Amino acid sequence: MTHTRETRTSKVVLSAATVAMGLIAGVFYIFACAVMPALARSDDRTYVEVMRNINDVIQNPVFFLSFMGALALTGWSAWQLRATPAARWTWAALAAYALVFLITVAFNIPLNNALAAKGDPSALRRHFEGPWVAWNVARAVGSTAAVALLTRALLVHGRSGRNPSGTSQPSAPLTPRRSGSASRAPGQR
């Protein structure tokens, strides 16, 4: 019973990590595919104003719950699954998202802070746009890879969760095949 509860809990945590990671990957993806290309069509003053507004409103509890939750839940899941066949997939997802987290803290946030400073919109945009977009694409790729790795972990854990030993068992017992009529199942001719 304890093993079943542990397996159920680990599946819930792994599922929650996957959902949180999917939300974050979606945020970075939509910025790469739509938000930044749309803003690229704007004049410098509009570009800077809209990005400043985005940077202000994205700092909210819902975003932070998924942004920090993806890291915390993936870490928790990796620890829970450390002795299972799904461990390597979960640890790889944690490594991928840790890199995304590091990119955000080391590059995107400082660029956001620099954009918030007073100055000529043209100069601010020139120093912000190219690097921010490039780092965001890296975040989109890394977080999408993390979603794929967590999805793989879910599949592997789902299969191994059926058997406490973690090995796969056939659904029906196999019997050795004998030659002649003795190898037929009852009722077969």
Side-chain angles (χ1 to χ4, degrees):
M1 179 110 175
T2 301
H3 174 72
T4 303
R5 186 171 33 243
E6 288 172 359
T7 300
R8 193 172 313 135
T9 300
S10 63
K11 282 183 183 177
V12 167
V13 173
L14 180 56
S15 297
T18 306
V19 169
M21 194 69 71
L23 291 170
I24 288 302
V27 168
F28 297 145
Y29 175 79
I30 199 68
F31 266 88
C33 292
V35 174
M36 300 314 288
L39 277 177
R41 297 177 175 186
S42 302
D43 63 82
D44 295 339
R45 185 170 306 285
T46 302
Y47 182 95
V48 170
E49 182 182 345
V50 170
M51 277 308 299
R52 284 176 175 167
N53 288 336
I54 290 170
N55 291 334
D56 285 342
V57 299
I58 204 162
Q59 296 181 50
N60 65 70
V62 175
F63 175 76
F64 283 125
L65 185 62
S66 54
F67 182 68
M68 300 298 287
L71 184 65
L73 289 166
T74 303
W76 183 10
S77 185
W79 179 81
Q80 283 183 315
L81 299 174
R82 65 192 178 281
T84 70
R88 67 180 175 163
W89 302 104
T90 312
W91 284 108
L94 182 60
Y97 191 63
L99 182 59
V100 167
F101 196 88
L102 179 65
I103 288 169
T104 301
V105 171
F107 300 105
N108 292 91
I109 291 174
L111 287 166
N112 291 345
N113 293 340
L115 190 67
K118 293 186 186 223
D120 173 50
S122 296
L124 289 170
R125 180 179 182 173
R126 192 170 43 254
H127 288 95
F128 174 87
E129 188 173 19
W132 196 95
V133 168
W135 287 116
N136 184 68
V137 168
R139 296 188 305 174
V141 169
S143 56
T144 301
V147 171
L149 291 162
L150 288 172
T151 302
R152 179 67 177 152
L154 274 170
L155 294 171
V156 169
H157 188 53
R159 277 182 263 171
S160 67
R162 292 185 206 127
N163 177 8
S165 70
T167 59
S168 60
Q169 289 182 335
S171 57
L174 296 177
T175 55
R177 182 168 250 193
R178 291 181 241 159
S179 61
S181 62
S183 65
R184 293 187 190 117
Q188 285 185 335
R189 294 182 187 243

